[in-house]
Amino acid sequence: MASRLVCLGSIAAPHGVRGLVKVKSWTQVPEDLAAYGPLWDKGRHRQFNLTLVGTAKNLLLALRASN
């Protein structure tokens, strides 16, 4: 059986010049997005570990570490 991905959110835009990104979370509690562990892009080519640092205009601000 092929593994199926569930879309938990999307990277909306960069934020500032220090490597932060704005993230739209589709989890019930938006701040729980990072608690799901490593996240993958749609094609499973890149893995991301997010560290949430705040919010801006209903989006999460996260430091994105790519593996």
Side-chain angles (χ1 to χ4, degrees):
M1 176 190 281
S3 67
R4 297 160 116 212
L5 299 178
V6 175
C7 187
L8 299 176
S10 63
I11 296 175
H15 180 79
V17 295
R18 303 203 190 280
L20 294 178
V21 291
K22 294 178 185 176
V23 179
K24 175 65 179 168
S25 174
W26 293 308
T27 59
Q28 184 172 6
V29 178
E31 293 79 12
D32 286 349
L33 180 66
Y36 284 88
L39 304 171
W40 293 87
D41 68 352
K42 186 176 181 179
R44 293 199 98 179
H45 301 288
R46 295 189 301 171
Q47 180 181 11
F48 303 96
N49 293 305
L50 297 181
T51 301
L52 301 180
V53 297
T55 61
K57 298 182 181 178
N58 297 324
L59 297 173
L60 301 172
L61 293 178
L63 184 59
R64 179 184 67 101
S66 178
N67 293 344

